Amino acid sequence: RDMRIAVVGGMGAVAREVAVQAMEAGHFVSWHLYPSHTLEDPSLESDYTQVLRIVRGAWDDEQQYMAALSTCDAVVVVLDQRYTKPEQFVPIQRLVQRSMRSHGLERIVLVTAHGSGDSNRQLDWMHWARFNVNQALHSLSIASGLLCWSVAAQYSAQEAVLAADASLKYTVLRPATVTDGPATGTYLASPTHVFGGYISAADVADCALKALSHEMDISQAFSLAYSSRVA
């Protein structure tokens, strides 16, 4: 059935793909953008005028999250490190969940990254070592925000905030390295595998929409990639 989906993630590649694919599938999209964000394709607003609502607000403006989630059935949160500072991940997640409770919404898909949460045990040895060393540095506030893996700590914290909210029906997607490319539908979504690899933003979005449409396992986290390779 057609849904009304709130997309929180600004101009990140996966967020854009979720919004466009959802609209092409006939769903209504309420897309939360920052005031400074400019659509790369301005024709989106005119081409999808019947199924697109753009709500602009600062990352910490709770009223604009409330507006973005209004009348929606489900939420997809996909924060991109290029557009979101490390210290903003958890507060944004809390604001979204508070807005969901205010609107009586239950269904949410959260996109983080492979290596977050308990999937750090599924990394190959090189990435596992880098991940854990930099996790330790991050926890000690040494070079906080400067190391690329410090973002994984924020993704893990996001997941923890979500899992602690018993009122929500959630699915967590943890893509491997996100690249350009088309939606192929040939990716692996596994709660126990994926040691590395890559996946296109289009396929991550495809999986997010399938999770909503088919009620992909509730309270589960899945790592995404085109293959699962042995560590």
Side-chain angles (χ1 to χ4, degrees):
R1 68 180 180 87
D2 292 344
M3 294 179 288
R4 298 178 67 87
I5 303 170
V7 178
V8 177
M11 294 299 297
V14 177
R16 293 197 305 272
E17 283 287 343
V18 170
V20 172
Q21 289 185 32
M23 291 187 293
E24 289 181 345
H27 304 303
F28 177 87
V29 170
S30 182
W31 193 359
H32 182 278
L33 299 176
Y34 297 157
S36 59
H37 285 167
T38 301
L39 294 179
E40 292 181 2
D41 182 1
S43 65
L44 278 176
E45 289 191 76
S46 57
D47 291 347
Y48 296 101
T49 183
Q50 299 300 315
V51 291
L52 174 62
R53 175 177 68 199
I54 291 179
V55 177
R56 296 186 182 276
W59 73 269
D60 57 351
D61 187 339
E62 184 172 1
Q63 291 306 309
Q64 293 307 94
Y65 290 110
M66 290 285 290
L69 272 58
S70 175
T71 72
C72 289
D73 306 310
V75 182
V76 177
V77 177
V78 48
L79 302 181
D80 190 302
Q81 59 184 300
R82 289 168 295 181
Y83 299 95
T84 309
K85 295 179 180 179
E87 66 271 16
Q88 296 173 353
F89 281 66
V90 170
I92 289 174
Q93 187 66 34
R94 292 188 187 281
L95 287 170
V96 169
Q97 290 177 210
R98 195 152 62 205
S99 297
M100 289 182 70
R101 289 192 294 271
S102 295
H103 287 301
L105 294 176
E106 296 182 332
R107 190 68 176 106
I108 178 172
V109 170
L110 171 62
V111 180
T112 56
H114 183 56
S116 300
D118 58 6
S119 69
N120 70 336
R121 298 193 297 269
Q122 299 163 13
L123 294 169
D124 59 38
W125 71 267
M126 182 176 65
H127 288 92
W128 182 90
R130 185 172 67 177
F131 177 86
N132 284 283
V133 167
N134 286 331
Q135 284 279 73
L137 291 176
H138 179 78
S139 67
L140 294 172
S141 299
I142 299 174
S144 179
L146 298 179
L147 295 165
C148 63
W149 281 102
S150 69
V151 176
Q154 303 306 316
Y155 281 140
S156 296
Q158 252 190 296
E159 292 184 14
V161 168
L162 179 58
D165 193 333
S167 69
L168 301 180
K169 296 179 180 179
Y170 70 84
T171 303
V172 175
L173 303 181
R174 298 164 170 163
T177 301
V178 176
T179 64
D180 295 330
T184 67
T186 61
Y187 51 85
L188 173 74
S190 171
T192 57
H193 297 94
V194 178
F195 294 92
Y198 64 96
I199 184 171
S200 72
D203 270 328
V204 179
D206 177 76
C207 190
L209 293 175
K210 285 178 178 175
L212 291 180
S213 299
H214 304 298
E215 286 295 312
M216 195 170 176
D217 294 5
I218 304 299
S219 303
Q220 279 269 22
F222 297 86
S223 289
L224 311 178
Y226 287 131
S227 65
S228 178
R229 60 188 180 85
V230 177

